[in-house]
Amino acid sequence: LGLWPSLVATRKTMATLCKRTRRAVTRMRLSTRSTPFRHNATRLQIARKRLLSSSAATPEGRGSMRKLWAAGGLLGGAATAYWVRSYINEMRRKEQKTEMKLMPEPAAFVHPYENHSWYYKMYVRTKRAVFLAFIFAPCAVLYGLAEWTESGQWREYWLKILVSTVERSGCSVQKFAQWCSMRPDMFPADVVEALSKLRCDAPPHDYEHTRKVIRESFGREIEDIFESFEEAPVASGTVAQVHRARLKAQFAIDGKVRDVAVKVQHPYVLEETFFDADLLFHIVNLSEKLTVPMKKEDFLQVLQRQTNFEWEAYNLRKFAYNFSREIS
């Protein structure tokens, strides 16, 4: 705003210079018919010098010219600083992207139980089938009772038992129930509302299991790796839960103390992802009203890949690599 009067005065001065220059050029053109070209060029230079000297002869003209040069210098300096800063940031981004190397893509997931003997696989399948039948039996009885009595209280109680049973049944059934909670076209409204609670949070496992997993994974206790570690998880999903912690400097990549999120897998996830999907899709195929717009192999692949945290590390690394310019 302070430069606005100076710019206005400079504009008026430049307009006057242009008018005088046009008049001088017109006179020179008229005189070129009777005088040599070199003489006309000399006269044009003399006229231009006179115009510049006359415009700078007055104090107002000199002040306007100084303000014009000052404004030009400021704009040029700002443009140069912006260019230099952009160039430095671009060089830093290239260095960071060069240092950040992509992880090799993890191999295709093969369930660990596939390498066991046939009788061990049969044992796991029988164990899961009996367990699911046992915990869902009370739920099935309550559903029949609610339908027979047509009582709202019995149905409400059945919905509570249904949600708690799904939470106990494992990650495969929980994932399937989450999908059911997003299909109001296939299930009653009260069932959809009850199962929607499973999308917000899943039951966490106890802290002792977290200590056991970290000990088995790294061969150290939690206190040896982290300066602080919150026992209560920040969030819990169907496959794992997340704890907030502070990693010691000697275990960090950059050698600095870092606040990190530690993701720990729930117990029995491998058993739950080995046979439960087969049982669920077998029940769906027996039902005449229930249809699932996905293949069992696709559902199982997505679910089993979530149990391999190398894929999650690979995706995070790839995201940081692709968006390094926006992140920096």
Side-chain angles (χ1 to χ4, degrees):
L1 294 176
L3 291 175
W4 181 250
S6 302
L7 294 176
V8 173
T10 304
R11 181 177 178 275
K12 292 181 180 179
T13 304
M14 295 300 295
T16 303
L17 285 174
C18 291
K19 289 181 180 179
R20 294 180 181 179
T21 303
R22 284 198 297 269
R23 291 174 184 174
V25 171
T26 302
R27 294 194 193 100
M28 295 300 297
R29 285 177 179 175
L30 292 175
S31 61
T32 53
R33 299 175 182 177
S34 58
T35 57
F37 175 75
R38 183 178 297 176
H39 181 64
N40 292 335
T42 304
R43 291 183 60 186
L44 180 60
Q45 293 176 0
I46 294 173
R48 187 177 298 170
K49 290 180 179 179
R50 288 179 179 177
L51 287 173
L52 294 174
S53 61
S54 63
S55 63
T58 61
E60 295 180 357
R62 288 194 295 270
S64 300
M65 293 300 294
R66 291 193 191 99
K67 293 175 181 178
L68 178 63
W69 282 107
L74 289 174
L75 293 175
T80 303
Y82 176 78
W83 180 84
V84 171
R85 182 180 179 183
S86 301
Y87 179 78
I88 293 174
N89 291 336
E90 185 67 24
M91 291 298 102
R92 288 177 178 175
R93 283 192 290 266
K94 288 182 179 180
E95 291 177 359
Q96 292 176 358
K97 201 163 186 178
T98 303
E99 295 176 357
M100 182 184 298
K101 296 181 180 179
L102 281 177
M103 293 175 54
E105 184 173 328
F109 181 80
V110 178
H111 201 284
Y113 287 3
E114 293 292 343
N115 299 323
H116 288 279
S117 58
W118 66 269
Y119 52 85
Y120 184 81
K121 297 177 184 178
M122 183 64 65
Y123 163 73
V124 174
R125 290 189 176 98
T126 306
K127 176 184 175 182
R128 289 299 301 172
V130 172
F131 172 75
L132 292 175
F134 178 78
I135 64 172
F136 273 98
C139 189
V141 172
L142 286 175
Y143 174 76
L145 185 61
E147 289 294 317
W148 180 58
T149 60
E150 298 183 355
S151 172
Q153 294 181 351
W154 279 110
R155 186 171 180 83
E156 184 178 354
Y157 183 64
W158 167 71
L159 290 173
K160 292 180 180 180
I161 297 299
L162 174 64
V163 173
S164 62
T165 303
V166 171
E167 290 177 346
R168 294 174 54 197
S169 59
C171 60
S172 298
V173 181
Q174 290 176 20
K175 287 288 186 183
F176 190 81
Q178 289 175 357
W179 173 80
C180 294
S181 68
M182 295 182 289
R183 297 303 303 265
D185 57 323
M186 300 177 61
F187 300 96
D190 55 350
V191 175
V192 171
E193 183 180 359
L195 295 179
S196 63
K197 301 175 183 178
L198 300 171
R199 301 201 306 265
C200 302
D201 204 359
H205 60 254
D206 57 355
Y207 182 62
E208 289 302 321
H209 176 74
T210 298
R211 296 184 65 92
K212 178 183 176 182
V213 170
I214 293 178
R215 188 187 310 114
E216 293 176 351
S217 300
F218 302 104
R220 297 173 180 267
E221 296 293 336
I222 287 181
E223 294 78 11
D224 300 332
I225 305 175
F226 303 97
E227 290 188 355
S228 61
F229 194 97
E230 294 186 4
E231 295 186 11
V234 178
S236 178
T238 56
V239 175
Q241 65 187 34
V242 179
H243 294 264
R244 183 183 288 111
R246 178 164 293 180
L247 185 66
K248 290 185 177 180
Q250 59 266 33
F251 297 103
I253 297 177
D254 55 0
K256 299 179 181 179
V257 178
R258 291 290 183 182
D259 292 329
V260 295
V262 182
K263 191 171 184 179
V264 184
Q265 193 174 100
H266 292 313
Y268 310 115
V269 167
L270 291 179
E271 288 187 3
E272 296 164 0
T273 56
F274 180 65
F275 172 68
D276 293 8
D278 296 335
L279 184 60
L280 286 172
F281 278 84
H282 182 68
I283 296 174
V284 169
N285 293 332
L286 293 177
S287 175
E288 298 180 355
K289 298 181 179 179
L290 187 61
T291 58
V292 180
M294 54 186 166
K295 296 181 180 180
K296 181 189 70 175
E297 291 76 14
D298 298 336
F299 176 81
L300 195 59
Q301 181 182 7
V302 173
L303 184 61
Q304 291 181 349
R305 181 173 288 187
Q306 291 183 6
T307 64
N308 186 1
F309 290 169
E310 291 182 0
W311 272 104
E312 187 164 0
Y314 171 77
N315 292 329
L316 291 173
R317 192 76 173 180
K318 188 175 182 181
F319 181 88
Y321 181 84
N322 292 337
F323 293 90
S324 59
R325 182 171 183 175
E326 285 77 4
I327 295 174
S328 60

